[in-house]
Amino acid sequence: MRNGLEVTLVSEFGKHDRDAVSARPRGSLRGFADTVGLASARVWRLRGRAWNTLRHPAGWELWRLPPAAVFWMLGTEIAVAFWALYSGFQASATTTDLVRFGVIAGCTIWYLVQTQHPEEQRRADDRRGEHIDQTAVWLGGAAVLLPPTLSLALLLMVRVQRYSIAHKAMTTFLFTTAAHAASILGVHTITRLTSLHGWLESGTLPQRPGDIAVAAVALLGAALWYFASQTLLISIARGLAWGGWRRQKLIGSWADNADFVYALQLAACTTILGAVNIALVPLVMIGIALRSTRLSQALADTIARSQRDRKTGLLTEDSFHAPAALRLLEDQTGRRPTAFLMLDLDHFKQWNDKYGHSGGDIVLGCVSAVLRQNTRSTDVVGRWGGEEFSVLLPDTTREEAMRIAERIRAAVAKTAITGLTELASGHATNEPRAVGPIHGCTVSIGVGLSPEHSTDYGELFRAADAAMYQAKRSGRNRVVVAPSAVPPSPRTPTSPLSRAGDSRRD
C-alpha cells in the first residue's frame, strides 16, 4: 500500500505512548496486552480528531492545493464511492465468505498489533518520501477471496488503525484510502470476469496445464491492477499538487516498488492458501508476513541511523552531499534556480558552558525541529557537525530563499528552549536544577544561489559558507546573501572525517 502523498505531523503524544509500551519485555503477555490497549485507545481517540476536522471544512489542507489537484482528488473519491456502492449491491456474502473474512481479519489484527511500534517509527522516518505499507499481504488476498463489502470493511479497519499512528492530514489520508479501495474493487472485478472466481468458490485449484496458465494469468492481472491503480492515482495527485513529473518524485525509487511487488507476491500466497483451506493462512502467512516486515523495518532503521545524525535526526554531512548534489543537477537540467543555506548557531559555546553538553544537545534538537517545520519535503536538510546546519532548497529563487532563511532565523530566535538544567553552585549537593524555558538562541545564515553564484556544488557551498562568515562578522542573528564575486572560502564540502574537531565555537 502506498502512502507517499501524505505529510506526517510528528506527535509527542505518540512518542510518549510508544516509549511507554516499548519498555515492556518483548514478547511478554503484559506487553502484548498493553499494545492492544494502546491501539484501541488511539483508535477511540480518533473520534474527536475526526469530528473536529469535519466541523471546520474551511481549514482542510485540501483547499491549499492547486485547483487541478483538488478536482482530481475529489473526483476520484466520488467515483470510487459510487463504484463501491454498485459492487456492494451486485455481490452477496456466503457462509464461506464470512469464515474467510473472520480468519483474514484476525490475521490482520494480529499483524497490525505486532508491527505497530516499528511501523509508526518507519512512517516518521519516511515522512519526506515514499512509504510502502505491507498490509497489502492481507488486503490483496482479501480482494480476491472476499466480496467487495467485506474486503472494503477490512480496508477500513486497516486504514483507521494506520491513521491512528500516522498523524497525517485527514483529507490526503482519505484520498490514499480511495486509491486502495480502487485497487481492491478492480481486483474483485478481474476475479469475477475470469474463471478464477469458480476455482475460488469450489476451493480446488486447477489441475490441467491450460487451466493453471489461465489462473496464473488472472492472478498476475489482479496483482498488476492492484499495483498500477494505486501508483497511477497517487502519482497524478502528486504531480498536480506539487508540480514536476519526475519518476522518482511520483512513484518512488525502484527499491520502494520492489517492496510493493514483494508484498503482492505474499498476497498471492495468501490467496492460494485461502482458496485451498482458510486454516492454512494463519498457520503459514502470519509468521512469514511478520518476519518479512520486521526484517524490512530493521533494515530501514539501520539505514536511517547510518545516514542520520544521532542528536538531531537530520542527515549527516556525508549523507547530505549525494541528495543535495542530485537536486542541484535536476534543477540545472530543468533550468530552475537553487539556493544553498549554511547556518551556524551564535555563541554556542556559552550554551555548552552553562548547561553542559546535554544542554547543548537540547539546543541542537530545538534548532533541528525548527528546520523541519520551515522546510519542504523536497528540501535537503543536514547537520555538518558541531553547531552548523545546511539546507539545499531546490527550485527556489533569490526572493524565496531570503524569505525562507528569514523565517528560519526568526523562528529560532522565538524558540523557547525547555528541559535545560544547570549546576546549582553553592548548594551542598551541587545537583543539577531545572531552569525554565530559555530564549536567546540565534543563528547566522549565509545564502548561496545557483546559477547566480555558481552551478557547481562545491562552489555553491563555498558561496553560502562565505556569506555565513560575513553574517557572523556583521553582528550575528542575520541573513546574508553571498556577493556576486564570491570571496575564497577556507573550506570545501568534504567528509567530516577529514576535518575532525573543526567546529567553530564563538
Side-chain angles (χ1 to χ4, degrees):
M1 293 173 65
R2 294 183 177 274
N3 300 279
L5 181 66
E6 302 142 2
V7 178
T8 300
L9 305 176
V10 179
S11 168
E12 284 300 312
F13 158 76
K15 179 181 182 297
H16 295 321
D17 281 356
R18 183 175 68 248
D19 293 343
V21 175
S22 60
R24 300 288 186 190
R26 186 184 179 111
S28 68
L29 183 61
R30 179 67 180 276
F32 178 75
D34 286 347
T35 302
V36 174
L38 174 60
S40 303
R42 283 182 165 180
V43 170
W44 181 251
R45 293 174 196 177
L46 290 180
R47 299 173 303 119
R49 195 195 309 177
W51 175 241
N52 186 59
T53 301
L54 293 175
R55 286 172 52 202
H56 302 91
W60 291 355
E61 186 178 294
L62 178 69
W63 311 126
R64 304 175 191 172
L65 301 176
V70 175
F71 177 81
W72 172 257
M73 293 171 68
L74 290 179
T76 299
E77 291 168 354
I78 293 172
V80 170
F82 278 108
W83 191 3
L85 290 174
Y86 174 79
S87 299
F89 284 119
Q90 292 295 313
S92 58
T94 64
T95 303
T96 301
D97 293 330
L98 293 176
V99 172
R100 287 176 173 172
F101 173 76
V103 173
I104 295 176
C107 293
T108 304
I109 292 173
W110 181 269
Y111 174 86
L112 293 176
V113 169
Q114 291 292 330
T115 61
Q116 175 174 255
H117 305 312
E119 179 66 21
E120 182 174 10
Q121 184 60 51
R122 281 189 66 206
R123 287 172 176 267
D125 292 339
D126 293 344
R127 63 185 174 272
R128 290 179 174 269
E130 177 81 355
H131 178 80
I132 301 298
D133 190 334
Q134 294 191 354
T135 50
V137 173
W138 313 109
L139 294 174
V144 178
L145 294 169
L146 303 177
T149 50
L150 296 180
S151 55
L152 291 178
L154 185 69
L155 171 66
L156 180 62
M157 180 183 70
V158 170
R159 295 297 286 172
V160 168
Q161 192 277 336
R162 289 314 197 206
Y163 183 62
S164 70
I165 66 174
H167 311 294
K168 303 177 187 295
M170 180 176 290
T171 51
T172 50
F173 201 85
L174 287 175
F175 175 77
T176 51
T177 302
H180 301 325
S183 296
I184 290 175
L185 293 171
V187 168
H188 174 74
T189 301
I190 293 173
T191 303
R192 299 289 300 184
L193 295 177
T194 62
S195 53
L196 187 61
H197 173 68
W199 290 320
L200 293 175
E201 284 191 340
S202 64
T204 58
L205 294 178
Q207 303 296 323
R208 293 183 299 180
D211 293 340
I212 293 175
V214 171
V217 170
L219 279 176
L220 179 61
L224 288 175
W225 171 267
Y226 197 98
F227 176 87
S229 57
Q230 288 189 37
T231 301
L232 182 64
L233 292 174
I234 295 177
S235 296
I236 293 176
R238 287 176 179 171
L240 294 174
W242 300 336
W245 297 87
R246 294 186 293 276
R247 178 195 59 80
Q248 184 162 345
K249 186 176 180 180
L250 295 176
I251 67 174
S253 66
W254 294 116
D256 294 330
N257 288 284
D259 288 342
F260 196 8
V261 171
Y262 177 67
L264 292 179
Q265 290 175 326
L266 293 182
C269 296
T270 302
T271 302
I272 295 172
L273 292 175
V276 174
N277 189 334
I278 193 62
L280 295 175
V281 173
L283 290 175
V284 177
M285 294 309 301
I286 282 183
I288 294 176
L290 285 177
R291 184 67 173 173
S292 170
T293 301
R294 284 172 176 168
L295 286 174
S296 176
Q297 291 168 339
L299 178 60
D301 182 64
T302 300
I303 294 174
R305 289 179 183 274
S306 67
Q307 296 178 341
R308 299 281 172 178
D309 174 63
R310 180 176 58 84
K311 296 178 180 179
T312 63
L314 302 178
L315 293 173
T316 63
E317 181 180 348
D318 280 341
S319 57
F320 177 89
H321 294 317
L326 178 60
R327 295 287 193 278
L328 178 62
L329 180 61
E330 289 175 345
D331 279 351
Q332 292 174 16
T333 304
R335 298 183 180 277
R336 296 183 296 268
T338 312
F340 196 116
L341 309 184
M342 284 296 297
L343 302 85
D344 190 276
L345 272 65
D346 299 325
H347 304 294
F348 183 66
K349 186 176 184 299
Q350 295 179 8
W351 292 92
N352 272 339
D353 291 343
K354 187 172 184 178
Y355 303 107
H357 288 288
S358 61
D361 292 345
I362 292 175
V363 174
L364 293 173
C366 291
V367 174
S368 66
V370 170
L371 290 177
R372 288 194 189 93
Q373 295 165 3
N374 290 276
T375 53
R376 306 161 297 186
S377 61
T378 53
D379 299 335
V380 186
V381 186
R383 178 188 175 216
W384 282 46
E387 65 273 25
E388 295 179 353
F389 298 85
S390 55
V391 182
L392 187 123
L393 304 170
D395 194 11
T396 302
T397 64
R398 180 189 183 98
E399 293 74 19
E400 292 170 338
M402 289 297 295
R403 186 166 59 250
I404 293 171
E406 182 59 33
R407 186 172 67 226
I408 292 173
R409 186 205 62 77
V412 172
K414 294 178 182 177
T415 297
I417 311 296
T418 59
L420 297 174
T421 59
E422 62 181 356
L423 291 177
S425 301
H427 290 241
T429 59
N430 202 34
E431 293 180 351
R433 62 181 178 84
V435 296
I438 303 296
H439 293 80
C441 179
T442 61
V443 292
S444 299
I445 304 177
V447 182
L449 303 168
S450 173
E452 179 177 331
H453 297 127
S454 177
T455 57
D456 177 77
Y457 176 71
E459 293 179 0
L460 186 61
F461 159 80
R462 286 190 286 272
D465 195 50
M468 182 184 71
Y469 272 109
Q470 181 59 39
K472 297 184 77 66
R473 287 193 296 266
S474 302
R476 301 183 176 85
N477 190 24
R478 63 191 61 208
V479 178
V480 172
V481 180
S484 299
V486 180
S489 172
R491 298 192 299 166
T492 57
T494 57
S495 167
L497 296 177
S498 65
R499 55 183 185 91
D502 178 20
S503 174
R504 294 195 308 277
R505 300 190 183 275
D506 302 316

